[in-house]
Amino acid sequence: MMRTRPLSRVVVAGVALATAFTLGGCGPDLYDVPLPSKVKGETYSLSADFESALNLPPASPVKLEGRTVGQVTEVTTSDYVAHVSFEVMKDTKIPTGSRVEVRLTAPVGEAFVALIPPAEPTSGVLAAGTKIGLENTNTAPDTTDLLTGVSAAVTGGSYADLKVVVDELATAMDGSSTTVRHLLREVDNLVTSTNRHRDDIDASLDALDRLTAGLADDTELIASSIKKLDPAIRTLQGHEDKAVKLLVALDRIEASSRKNVEGMRGRLRNQLKDTRVLVDAVIAERDQLRPIMTGITAFADALDRATPGDFAMFDLTFNLIPALPAALGNVPIAPDATTLLEGDLAELLTGLQDTVTDIAGDEGLVGQLIGGLAGGGG
């Protein structure tokens, strides 16, 4: 047989509950109903200060790496700072240096507290009762802030300023489209060329960076050197007039030296040209001079054998080359520089060198003559 609960007990319970909800203003309301806890077991308390808490309600979840590890217990404000207290499960270890942020689960979702560990792992953990300051807290922007920013930009912020710039550009370019296109092409060419040489530019900047770093490292040495140079600079400044006079005198010496060198050059070329006439005459008559030189050498050898004493007295007569006096007579005593400058100095020196080699070399006439006189050649 089915058993039923006594009706009188159910009615009494219903009447008691209705009476509790129909009491006056001092009675309980919906806010007095306790919310279910998001954590179980033992917990420890932490707190954090925020510039804005995004209307964070009590009992909001506290998450670490996406996992709920606690809940908000109280939110208060003072001096424009929100003070948030929250409980964390006892087995949750929060590294020191962690950041705390108030975030939203969605653009219009629920607010929660996110614990963010530091990028570099630390050995310590936050102890119970630790208070995290404003330097380590942050609040994510909510939808209201986003819409407010967009509204300000569209109605009177940066967008309005950009519109003014665009309107002014349109006014300035009116009727000057060809010039503007040319300018844009030139700018494009400049940017393209700069981009092609960006490696060189980077290398130059790196070198400049190394130079500035070296100069920075040697700042004290440079300053000391400048201090040591200061007395010398002041001394030179005191003798500035004398230095100017010295430079003027050196300029006059340079002008005079230049004239002397130019005159010496002309005289040397004239002398070389005259010497060439003589050498040309000697070369032209070398076949006739060879027997004469050979005879002189033989005579010297015979004389040495015939007179073994200290000296001998004799008369020597020989015939000159008929064409040689005439050739020597053609040598001018004082040739002018204009005639000398008309010739090729390099060609003249080359011919003179060849002629001197033919005459004064070991196989030349002078060489044979000296050899004969020294060793009694035939």
Side-chain angles (χ1 to χ4, degrees):
M1 181 176 64
M2 181 180 298
R3 297 179 61 185
T4 59
R5 179 175 300 179
L7 179 61
S8 59
R9 185 176 300 177
V10 174
V11 172
V12 171
V15 171
L17 182 62
T19 302
F21 280 103
T22 56
L23 292 176
C26 61
D29 55 16
L30 185 59
Y31 291 100
D32 295 327
V33 178
L35 296 174
S37 176
K38 293 182 173 60
V39 294
K40 296 180 180 181
E42 297 183 11
T43 60
Y44 63 95
S45 300
L46 297 173
S47 62
D49 293 339
F50 296 88
E51 293 182 355
S52 174
L54 290 179
N55 297 322
L56 182 71
S60 297
V62 177
K63 297 184 179 182
L64 175 64
E65 297 179 342
R67 179 173 57 91
T68 300
V69 297
Q71 66 179 6
V72 175
T73 58
E74 185 182 16
V75 179
T76 60
T77 59
S78 65
D79 298 330
Y80 303 99
V81 176
H83 308 287
V84 178
S85 300
F86 50 92
E87 299 285 338
V88 180
M89 290 187 293
K90 187 175 182 180
D91 59 348
T92 302
K93 306 299 181 182
I94 304 174
T96 56
S98 298
R99 293 182 55 80
V100 184
E101 292 187 0
V102 177
R103 295 182 177 180
L104 297 176
T105 57
V108 290
E110 179 187 18
F112 67 94
V113 175
L115 301 174
I116 305 173
E120 298 294 333
T122 57
S123 58
V125 295
L126 297 180
T130 300
K131 182 178 181 180
I132 302 173
L134 292 173
E135 66 276 3
N136 288 322
T137 61
N138 192 18
T139 302
D142 60 358
T143 305
T144 303
D145 296 334
L146 177 61
L147 294 177
T148 301
V150 171
S151 175
V154 172
T155 57
S158 302
Y159 179 79
D161 297 336
L162 181 61
K163 182 177 181 301
V164 173
V165 173
V166 173
D167 292 341
E168 293 298 329
L169 285 175
T171 303
M173 294 180 183
D174 187 19
S176 304
S177 59
T178 303
T179 304
V180 173
R181 290 194 190 97
H182 176 72
L183 176 62
L184 292 177
R185 283 196 296 269
E186 293 297 327
V187 172
D188 180 69
N189 293 335
L190 174 62
V191 173
T192 303
S193 176
T194 304
N195 183 63
R196 284 198 302 267
H197 295 84
R198 61 182 179 181
D199 293 337
D200 298 334
I201 295 174
D202 290 340
S204 300
L205 292 177
D206 291 339
L208 182 60
D209 181 68
R210 291 193 298 270
L211 174 61
T212 53
L215 292 176
D217 294 338
D218 297 335
T219 301
E220 295 182 359
L221 179 60
I222 294 173
S224 176
S225 301
I226 293 175
K227 288 182 179 179
K228 292 180 179 179
L229 286 175
D230 183 68
I233 295 174
R234 293 183 182 276
T235 302
L236 291 176
Q237 186 177 6
H239 296 80
E240 181 179 357
D241 295 338
K242 295 181 180 179
V244 172
K245 293 180 180 179
L246 176 61
L247 292 175
V248 172
L250 289 176
D251 182 70
R252 290 198 299 267
I253 292 174
E254 186 272 337
S256 177
S257 299
R258 184 172 59 253
K259 292 180 180 179
N260 292 333
V261 171
E262 291 177 354
M264 185 182 299
R265 180 174 178 269
R267 290 192 296 270
L268 178 60
R269 295 188 63 177
N270 289 334
Q271 292 174 3
L272 292 176
K273 186 175 180 181
D274 296 342
T275 304
R276 183 173 183 176
V277 176
L278 173 62
V279 174
D280 288 341
V282 172
I283 292 174
E285 303 298 337
R286 60 184 174 181
D287 292 336
Q288 298 182 22
L289 287 174
R290 186 176 292 108
I292 296 175
M293 294 300 177
T294 302
I296 293 174
T297 303
F299 173 77
D301 182 61
L303 180 63
D304 184 62
R305 292 194 301 269
T307 57
D310 293 336
F311 63 92
M313 298 180 62
F314 63 90
D315 292 330
L316 177 63
T317 302
F318 61 91
N319 294 325
L320 293 175
I321 302 171
L324 183 59
L328 295 177
N330 294 328
V331 178
I333 297 175
D336 57 340
T338 304
T339 305
L340 177 61
L341 293 175
E342 293 177 354
D344 188 352
L345 182 59
E347 180 180 357
L348 175 61
L349 292 175
T350 302
L352 179 60
Q353 181 180 7
D354 295 339
T355 301
V356 172
T357 301
D358 292 339
I359 296 175
D362 294 339
E363 299 298 330
L365 297 178
V366 177
Q368 293 179 2
L369 175 59
I370 295 174
L373 293 174

